[in-house]
Amino acid sequence: MSVLEIRDLQVSVRLPEGELKPILAGVDLTVRAGETHAIMGPNGSGKSTLAYSIAGHPKYEITGGSVTLDGADVLSMSVDERARAGLFLAMQYPVEVPGVSVANFLRTAKTAIDGEAPKLRTWAGELRAAMERLQMDPSFAQRNVNEGFSGGEKKRHEIVQLELLRPKVAILDETDSGLDIDALRVVSEGVNRVRETGRTGLLLITHYTRILRYIKPDFVHVFVGGRIVEQGGPELAEKLEDEGYERYVAGAGSARA
């Protein structure tokens, strides 16, 4: 069973004048295959920094701590090595890739992860079926990656990738952002299909509880001031819905003072 272990992770960004600004202040988290962890917190708390730091975004500088996947040092890997090792990031704002079709992009990614190319006839059927499950027109397979896609279509495409690539750990950064009610349901059903295999650990980053009505977390972590300040089960999400983050933010401010 795969395990992602984050220990005392500290991350900064370099400001234009050259100074390092701390963002993450010592994060500890363990995500196992088959588990769903929700990271919830206000804007600016460092949730997305956590996601992109694990994925290897060059904007962020690791200043302390460790991240391992099945005992392997993730922080020493390049971005593509992290993906081949089994890490997957669904971005809040998926980027366009001009000149590369969805079909070619996904087959290339699958080949890199598996070490061999999937058989064309079998792969075409798997891709078509995955797109239909996410209610995407199969003709989108021949379009350039995310080019001209609506926000909802981009998010559906991310979950098509998730279903086909079958990562060990998937980080979903505000996947619910910009989705209408119908798209949220369809995307959530796709995430739940992956979850039900028991082979993938999910780290779901969100501001709101609405996606958690469709994707039930095993663990909820409150993220404020670059660290986890409270954790619990699904009931914690309902508490946050009722009470908000104010007391956590005030507590973090008092601690810094």
Side-chain angles (χ1 to χ4, degrees), residues 105-133:
F105 170 77
L106 285 169
R107 189 165 188 263
T108 299
K110 185 67 171 174
T111 300
I113 290 170
D114 291 354
E116 60 180 1
K119 295 180 181 179
L120 274 174
R121 184 176 301 175
T122 305
W123 176 250
E126 289 181 4
L127 174 57
R128 185 181 306 107
M131 295 184 76
E132 288 175 351
R133 286 194 297 270

Side-chain angles (χ1 to χ4, degrees), residues 11 23-24 39 42-55 57 60 89-93 171-174 205-207 223:
V11 177
I23 304 294
L24 300 188
I39 298 281
N43 284 325
S45 60
K47 303 185 304 300
S48 291
T49 296
L50 175 63
Y52 286 95
S53 298
I54 296 170
H57 195 296
Y60 302 102
L89 172 65
M91 295 181 285
Q92 182 180 0
Y93 303 109
I171 305 165
L172 310 181
D173 184 24
E174 299 193 33
I205 295 172
T206 184
H207 291 297
F223 209 82

Side-chain angles (χ1 to χ4, degrees), residues 126 128-136 163-164 186 189 193:
E126 289 181 4
R128 185 181 306 107
M131 295 184 76
E132 288 175 351
R133 286 194 297 270
L134 269 297
Q135 297 184 18
M136 289 189 73
E163 287 206 60
L164 290 174
V186 170
E189 289 172 352
R193 282 192 294 271

Side-chain angles (χ1 to χ4, degrees), residues 61-157:
E61 296 193 24
I62 310 298
T63 56
S66 64
V67 180
T68 60
L69 179 60
D70 296 340
D73 181 8
V74 170
L75 300 181
S76 68
M77 300 177 187
S78 63
V79 173
D80 61 307
E81 288 171 339
R82 297 180 199 207
R84 286 198 296 271
L87 285 175
F88 176 90
L89 172 65
M91 295 181 285
Q92 182 180 0
Y93 303 109
V95 298
E96 297 181 359
V97 186
V100 179
S101 73
V102 166
N104 285 338
F105 170 77
L106 285 169
R107 189 165 188 263
T108 299
K110 185 67 171 174
T111 300
I113 290 170
D114 291 354
E116 60 180 1
K119 295 180 181 179
L120 274 174
R121 184 176 301 175
T122 305
W123 176 250
E126 289 181 4
L127 174 57
R128 185 181 306 107
M131 295 184 76
E132 288 175 351
R133 286 194 297 270
L134 269 297
Q135 297 184 18
M136 289 189 73
D137 186 331
S139 69
F140 274 58
Q142 304 310 316
R143 292 175 59 173
N144 291 339
V145 174
N146 291 328
E147 201 168 53
F149 288 23
S150 69
E153 288 162 348
K154 289 179 180 179
K155 297 297 179 74
R156 292 171 196 243
H157 177 222

